[in-house]
Amino acid sequence: MFPLLILLSGCNGPGLRHLGVAPVQVAEGGMTFDIRTRAGMAEAIRTNPMAGVRMVDVATNGGRAILRVTGCEVAWLRGDPAVLLAGLNCGAGHKTPPQPRRRTICTGTVSALYRTGESDVIFTCG
């Protein structure tokens, strides 16, 4: 029982890149996210349980939540229905970080800016 509790306690914790960063909780599109930012990257952890959630909905709402917290456009987005990692384009003088090489379940590119209110996200999963 104790090992199971240890495993489950990590479900809402940040990844290594964002350890020690206090989350900002944001509700967007019926989903709730803990957003953490550091060094031009943002991590969005979906904290509310949902059955049958679609990746495109998580990506759209997570991207909008990241924009609200950071004020930066999402240059790239990757992850799964629970955790998203985004590279931020914060304008002149800020370099967008490259995507990590680590394999994730789904990767995506944003082909329309979130500032326009549109969410055109293309995902490759596998």
Side-chain angles (χ1 to χ4, degrees):
M1 183 71 166
F2 186 68
L4 179 62
L5 289 175
I6 291 173
L7 284 175
L8 292 176
S9 68
C11 292
N12 191 20
L16 293 176
R17 287 181 185 87
H18 294 91
L19 277 177
V21 177
V24 176
Q25 193 168 78
V26 178
E28 183 68 47
M31 298 177 184
T32 306
F33 298 91
D34 281 350
I35 309 291
R36 293 175 173 88
T37 59
R38 177 182 277 162
M41 296 175 91
E43 179 181 69
I45 299 175
R46 189 174 54 83
T47 58
N48 60 320
M50 297 179 81
V53 66
R54 295 182 327 145
M55 184 62 199
V56 67
D57 295 333
V58 174
T60 299
N61 293 326
R64 288 180 178 159
I66 291 168
L67 172 63
R68 283 178 48 198
V69 170
T70 66
C72 300
E73 297 169 358
V74 176
W76 55 262
L77 187 68
R78 63 188 300 159
D80 58 47
V83 180
L84 298 171
L85 185 64
L88 303 176
N89 178 3
C90 296
H94 297 277
K95 185 178 177 188
T96 301
Q99 292 189 37
R101 294 183 190 191
R102 197 181 107 198
R103 182 172 169 81
T104 56
I105 295 171
C106 298
T107 61
T109 56
V110 179
S111 59
L113 301 178
Y114 282 111
R115 290 185 196 272
T116 65
E118 298 178 21
S119 55
D120 193 8
V121 183
I122 302 165
F123 278 93
T124 306
C125 300

